[in-house]
Amino acid sequence: MATQAEISTTPRTRAALWVSPTRLALAGVAAMSISALMLALDTSTEAPGLLKKDAPMPVPAERPAEWGSVMRREPKATVMPAPTAERPAEWGHLMRREPKVTPPVLAADATPQRTRGGAAMAAVVFGVVAIIGFAQQIRSAMDLLKDSFLGEESKGKAK
Protein backbone atom coordinates (compact mmCIF):
# COMPACT_ATOMS: atom_id res chain seq x y z
CA MET A 1 0.00 0.00 0.00
CA ALA A 2 1.36 3.44 -0.92
CA THR A 3 1.76 6.10 1.72
CA GLN A 4 0.08 9.49 1.56
CA ALA A 5 3.42 11.22 0.71
CA GLU A 6 3.98 8.93 -2.29
CA ILE A 7 0.46 9.51 -3.61
CA SER A 8 0.74 13.32 -3.44
CA THR A 9 4.11 13.46 -5.25
CA THR A 10 3.29 11.17 -8.18
CA PRO A 11 1.69 12.93 -11.14
CA ARG A 12 -1.86 11.81 -11.88
CA THR A 13 -2.16 12.84 -15.55
CA ARG A 14 0.06 12.59 -18.62
CA ALA A 15 0.25 16.37 -18.87
CA ALA A 16 1.39 16.68 -15.26
CA LEU A 17 4.11 14.11 -15.94
CA TRP A 18 5.63 16.33 -18.67
CA VAL A 19 5.93 19.39 -16.44
CA SER A 20 7.03 17.61 -13.27
CA PRO A 21 10.12 19.29 -11.76
CA THR A 22 11.85 15.96 -11.25
CA ARG A 23 11.57 15.06 -14.92
CA LEU A 24 12.81 18.49 -16.05
CA ALA A 25 15.78 18.35 -13.65
CA LEU A 26 16.77 14.86 -14.81
CA ALA A 27 16.55 15.94 -18.46
CA GLY A 28 18.85 18.91 -17.77
CA VAL A 29 21.38 16.76 -15.91
CA ALA A 30 21.34 14.17 -18.71
CA ALA A 31 21.92 16.84 -21.38
CA MET A 32 24.84 18.37 -19.47
CA SER A 33 26.38 14.93 -18.84
CA ILE A 34 26.20 13.96 -22.52
CA SER A 35 27.75 17.29 -23.57
CA ALA A 36 30.60 16.94 -21.06
CA LEU A 37 31.24 13.35 -22.17
CA MET A 38 31.42 14.35 -25.86
CA LEU A 39 33.86 17.17 -25.07
CA ALA A 40 36.03 14.87 -22.95
CA LEU A 41 36.17 12.14 -25.62
CA ASP A 42 37.20 14.55 -28.41
CA THR A 43 40.80 13.60 -29.24
CA SER A 44 41.51 15.91 -32.18
CA THR A 45 44.42 18.23 -31.45
CA GLU A 46 44.48 20.21 -34.68
CA ALA A 47 42.37 23.21 -35.53
CA PRO A 48 39.14 22.49 -37.37
CA GLY A 49 40.47 24.23 -40.49
CA LEU A 50 39.61 27.19 -42.65
CA LEU A 51 36.14 28.18 -43.60
CA LYS A 52 35.20 27.91 -47.26
CA LYS A 53 35.20 31.66 -47.74
CA ASP A 54 38.70 31.96 -46.20
CA ALA A 55 40.25 29.08 -48.17
CA PRO A 56 42.67 30.05 -50.95
CA MET A 57 41.31 29.82 -54.46
CA PRO A 58 42.64 26.78 -56.36
CA VAL A 59 44.78 27.61 -59.39
CA PRO A 60 43.48 25.81 -62.48
CA ALA A 61 46.05 23.82 -64.43
CA GLU A 62 46.80 24.88 -67.98
CA ARG A 63 45.00 22.84 -70.62
CA PRO A 64 47.01 21.42 -73.50
CA ALA A 65 46.33 23.20 -76.80
CA GLU A 66 45.50 19.93 -78.59
CA TRP A 67 42.45 19.44 -76.36
CA GLY A 68 40.78 22.44 -77.93
CA SER A 69 38.24 24.65 -76.23
CA VAL A 70 35.34 23.41 -74.18
CA MET A 71 32.79 25.76 -75.77
CA ARG A 72 32.56 26.61 -79.41
CA ARG A 73 32.50 30.23 -80.47
CA GLU A 74 29.64 31.64 -82.49
CA PRO A 75 30.50 34.02 -85.33
CA LYS A 76 29.87 37.66 -84.53
CA ALA A 77 26.52 38.87 -85.71
CA THR A 78 26.52 41.67 -88.24
CA VAL A 79 24.59 44.70 -87.11
CA MET A 80 22.45 46.48 -89.65
CA PRO A 81 23.04 50.21 -89.73
CA ALA A 82 20.17 52.38 -88.49
CA PRO A 83 18.19 54.18 -91.20
CA THR A 84 19.23 57.80 -91.56
CA ALA A 85 16.12 59.09 -93.30
CA GLU A 86 13.33 60.64 -91.23
CA ARG A 87 10.08 58.75 -90.85
CA PRO A 88 7.09 60.17 -92.66
CA ALA A 89 4.54 61.88 -90.37
CA GLU A 90 1.65 59.80 -91.71
CA TRP A 91 3.18 56.65 -90.23
CA GLY A 92 2.31 57.91 -86.72
CA HIS A 93 3.90 56.93 -83.41
CA LEU A 94 4.59 53.56 -81.88
CA MET A 95 2.85 54.54 -78.64
CA ARG A 96 -0.22 56.68 -78.28
CA ARG A 97 -0.52 59.34 -75.61
CA GLU A 98 -3.42 59.21 -73.23
CA PRO A 99 -4.94 62.49 -72.07
CA LYS A 100 -4.14 63.45 -68.49
CA VAL A 101 -7.01 62.85 -66.08
CA THR A 102 -7.62 65.45 -63.40
CA PRO A 103 -9.61 64.39 -60.32
CA PRO A 104 -12.85 66.29 -59.67
CA VAL A 105 -12.66 69.06 -57.09
CA LEU A 106 -15.15 68.81 -54.20
CA ALA A 107 -17.12 71.80 -53.08
CA ALA A 108 -16.00 73.47 -49.85
CA ASP A 109 -19.17 72.51 -47.94
CA ALA A 110 -19.29 68.91 -49.14
CA THR A 111 -17.93 66.30 -46.71
CA PRO A 112 -17.18 62.80 -47.87
CA GLN A 113 -19.41 60.15 -46.34
CA ARG A 114 -17.63 57.40 -44.52
CA THR A 115 -19.08 53.97 -44.26
CA ARG A 116 -18.46 51.75 -41.32
CA GLY A 117 -18.62 48.43 -43.07
CA GLY A 118 -18.73 44.89 -41.92
CA ALA A 119 -14.97 44.52 -42.24
CA ALA A 120 -14.34 46.58 -39.10
CA MET A 121 -16.96 44.59 -37.18
CA ALA A 122 -15.45 41.30 -38.36
CA ALA A 123 -12.00 42.46 -37.25
CA VAL A 124 -13.31 43.34 -33.78
CA VAL A 125 -15.09 39.99 -33.41
CA PHE A 126 -11.99 38.11 -34.57
CA GLY A 127 -9.81 40.00 -32.09
CA VAL A 128 -12.13 39.30 -29.17
CA VAL A 129 -12.32 35.59 -30.01
CA ALA A 130 -8.53 35.38 -30.30
CA ILE A 131 -8.02 37.07 -26.92
CA ILE A 132 -10.55 34.80 -25.22
CA GLY A 133 -8.89 31.68 -26.69
CA PHE A 134 -5.46 32.85 -25.58
CA ALA A 135 -6.76 33.54 -22.06
CA GLN A 136 -8.20 30.02 -21.84
CA GLN A 137 -4.88 28.51 -22.86
CA ILE A 138 -3.05 30.55 -20.23
CA ARG A 139 -5.58 29.54 -17.57
CA SER A 140 -5.22 25.82 -18.35
CA ALA A 141 -1.41 26.07 -18.35
CA MET A 142 -1.45 27.86 -14.99
CA ASP A 143 -3.80 25.22 -13.54
CA LEU A 144 -1.46 22.49 -14.76
CA LEU A 145 1.57 24.15 -13.20
CA LYS A 146 -0.29 24.87 -9.96
CA ASP A 147 -1.42 21.25 -9.71
CA SER A 148 2.09 19.94 -10.38
CA PHE A 149 3.73 22.13 -7.73
CA LEU A 150 1.05 22.25 -5.04
CA GLY A 151 -0.74 18.97 -5.66
CA GLU A 152 -4.31 18.28 -4.56
CA GLU A 153 -4.27 20.76 -1.67
CA SER A 154 -4.67 23.71 -4.03
CA LYS A 155 -8.07 22.59 -5.30
CA GLY A 156 -10.02 23.68 -2.21
CA LYS A 157 -12.22 21.50 -0.04
CA ALA A 158 -11.94 17.80 -0.65
CA LYS A 159 -14.83 15.50 0.17
Side-chain angles (χ1 to χ4, degrees):
M1 187 105 196
T3 63
Q4 182 64 26
E6 291 174 0
I7 292 173
S8 65
T9 58
T10 58
R12 295 193 186 276
T13 63
R14 289 182 63 190
L17 175 70
W18 285 101
V19 293
S20 68
T22 307
R23 183 180 175 100
L24 294 175
L26 286 175
V29 168
M32 288 186 277
S33 301
I34 292 171
S35 298
L37 182 66
M38 293 303 290
L39 287 173
L41 293 178
D42 188 19
T43 59
S44 64
T45 57
E46 60 190 43
L50 296 174
L51 298 176
K52 283 186 177 181
K53 65 180 181 180
D54 296 334
M57 295 297 292
V59 178
E62 290 293 325
R63 293 176 47 91
E66 62 267 10
W67 285 6
S69 63
V70 177
M71 295 181 66
R72 65 185 171 98
R73 296 188 187 269
E74 294 287 331
K76 291 188 176 183
T78 58
V79 179
M80 297 293 292
T84 57
E86 287 291 322
R87 292 172 42 100
E90 59 267 6
W91 286 3
H93 298 284
L94 292 177
M95 293 181 66
R96 67 175 179 193
R97 294 183 184 256
E98 297 286 335
K100 291 187 178 182
V101 178
T102 57
V105 179
L106 295 176
D109 59 348
T111 57
Q113 292 184 357
R114 296 184 182 200
T115 60
R116 300 192 184 265
M121 183 58 82
V124 168
V125 169
F126 178 75
V128 169
V129 168
I131 289 173
I132 289 172
F134 185 62
Q136 286 178 347
Q137 286 181 347
I138 289 176
R139 184 182 66 187
S140 65
M142 294 307 255
D143 286 344
L144 242 173
L145 287 173
K146 183 176 68 171
D147 289 345
S148 69
F149 286 122
L150 300 177
E152 292 295 323
E153 62 208 32
S154 67
K155 292 202 177 194
K157 288 186 176 180
K159 292 186 178 182

